[in-house]
Amino acid sequence: MCSLISVVIPCFRSQSYLKQTVLEIRKAFETNKNYTCQIILIDDGSPDGTWEVIRCLCRSFSEIIGIRLSSNFGQARARMAALPHIKGDYAVFMDDDGQHPPMAIFSLVQKLSEGYDLVYARFPKLKESLFRKAASSLSDRTLTAVTKKPKDLRITSFFALSSFALSSLGDYQSPYIFLGGYLFEITKRITSVEIEQRPRFEGKSSYTFQKLYAMWLDNMLAFPHTPARLCRKTGFLTFLAGLIFLIAAFFLSFETLAIISALALGFGLLFVFLGILGEVILRTFCIIQGVPTYTVQEIITHDNP
């Protein structure tokens, strides 16, 4: 009996290449008779004609579901919007720009069948700008230090979930989503598979510095213990830095410079921690007020286009 794989694709400004992405996925499943597919396309508030492309694809293929969000909620929230509609034994999440090869879907799912709950694609050579690589590396190191993410694991947007992980995510309710972080808390059956990343079909990534920072902040503050760990570890490093300043001042007679530097460092960190604390309080207030994770504007299928 064939296993059903639900392929979830958040879409943003992809009207010119989304159809090509979907056709490649369908072709990959046509060559592998061990699996059938369900494709869920989520339009994350695209300002172009992405939704019309999704509508046409739903009319053409019965296995496709289209979900339109009322605004641009971000990739993580768009993924969460797909969860109630997933029918597969496994779910694979991927991008809409063609960088993730459809045939690799089966490599991820094969690893899940070995007993894992979360499998990430691991790209040996990232086809990204130097800035994006540096930002990703910094984010990865920070998350390793303050969350339960395995040290040798790299979080990517191409990953697969088991039925256990999918059912567990049904209890995850928050307007600030860190899907990986939630799963790191409840399962240790996590691994990665090496996959070759392809060039984008066209254009460049829409992730600006502001969006990357917002995503990093969501990940860092998704769970209360994360900022606490960050403050504790940074505080320890600050203590060591202050101790070094004092030793330098004692032996080198640079008392004034050392004192000024130590004060500047201390006050800077103080305001950083106050900002983190304020952000945690604000997000807690938003959760209490019931701020939605996302809002679905429209859902279409082959039978109801």
Side-chain angles (χ1 to χ4, degrees):
M1 183 176 179
C2 295
S3 296
L4 176 63
I5 300 175
S6 294
V7 180
V8 179
I9 308 177
C11 309
F12 185 73
R13 293 181 182 272
S14 53
Q15 66 170 357
S16 59
Y17 49 78
L18 179 59
K19 182 177 180 180
Q20 183 178 352
T21 300
V22 171
L23 292 179
E24 281 197 358
I25 293 171
R26 295 189 76 254
K27 184 176 180 180
F29 276 89
E30 288 173 358
T31 62
N32 192 328
K33 301 303 181 180
N34 295 320
Y35 301 100
T36 57
C37 76
Q38 172 198 31
I39 301 176
I40 304 176
L41 306 175
I42 308 99
D43 179 14
D44 188 23
S46 298
D48 60 1
T50 298
W51 181 243
E52 291 306 316
V53 174
I54 293 175
R55 189 186 296 277
C56 290
L57 289 168
C58 287
R59 290 193 187 115
S60 302
F61 307 111
S62 60
E63 69 270 28
I64 298 179
I65 297 176
I67 302 172
R68 187 182 193 183
L69 302 185
S70 60
S71 184
N72 179 222
F73 288 91
Q75 192 178 57
R77 294 168 180 81
R79 294 187 188 118
M80 294 297 290
L83 290 181
H85 307 277
I86 291 176
K87 298 179 180 179
D89 305 293
Y90 309 102
V92 175
F93 296 76
M94 60 193 301
D95 289 347
D96 58 355
D97 56 12
Q99 286 193 295
H100 301 157
M103 290 301 295
I105 290 173
F106 309 117
S107 299
L108 297 176
V109 170
Q110 177 60 38
K111 208 66 179 176
L112 288 178
S113 67
E114 297 176 12
Y116 292 98
D117 293 316
L118 172 59
V119 181
Y120 283 101
R122 182 177 69 255
F123 304 120
K125 293 182 179 180
L126 291 174
K127 293 178 171 57
E128 297 175 341
S129 66
L130 184 61
F131 164 74
R132 182 69 186 274
K133 288 180 181 178
S136 297
S137 178
L138 177 62
S139 175
D140 180 76
R141 291 174 181 273
T142 308
L143 290 175
T144 300
V146 300
T147 70
K148 295 183 179 181
K149 184 183 80 66
K151 186 176 181 180
D152 58 346
L153 184 75
R154 190 69 176 266
I155 297 175
T156 66
S157 56
F158 192 15
F159 60 94
L161 300 179
S162 68
S163 57
F164 168 76
L166 288 169
S167 62
S168 299
L169 285 173
D171 299 324
Y172 187 16
Q173 299 295 326
S174 172
Y176 305 103
I177 301 297
F178 181 19
L179 188 149
Y182 183 80
L183 293 175
F184 297 154
E185 294 287 331
I186 62 177
T187 181
K188 299 300 181 184
R189 297 190 294 270
I190 302 169
T191 190
S192 61
V193 174
E194 185 169 309
I195 291 170
E196 190 69 29
Q197 188 183 42
R198 307 188 306 184
R200 293 171 60 92
F201 283 143
E202 63 177 69
K204 59 181 181 179
S205 173
S206 61
Y207 275 99
T208 62
F209 173 79
Q210 184 176 2
K211 287 185 176 181
L212 288 173
Y213 174 73
M215 183 173 64
W216 175 83
L217 198 62
D218 277 353
N219 293 347
M220 290 295 295
L221 303 184
F223 302 97
H225 57 254
T226 301
R229 289 174 182 167
L230 175 64
C231 293
R232 185 174 66 249
K233 292 186 178 184
T234 308
F236 177 72
L237 293 175
T238 306
F239 169 78
L240 290 180
L243 186 61
I244 293 172
F245 273 124
L246 289 175
I247 294 173
F250 179 78
F251 285 102
L252 302 178
S253 299
F254 290 162
E255 295 91 345
T256 303
L257 177 61
I259 292 172
I260 292 175
S261 300
L263 286 174
L265 180 63
F267 276 108
L269 287 172
L270 175 63
F271 281 108
V272 168
F273 293 151
L274 286 174
I276 291 175
L277 179 61
E279 187 71 25
V280 170
I281 294 172
L282 175 62
R283 291 180 178 227
T284 302
F285 177 77
C286 290
I287 293 172
I288 293 173
Q289 292 295 309
V291 175
T293 305
Y294 56 85
T295 304
V296 175
Q297 182 173 340
E298 188 178 354
I299 299 174
I300 55 175
T301 63
H302 180 70
D303 297 326
N304 185 26

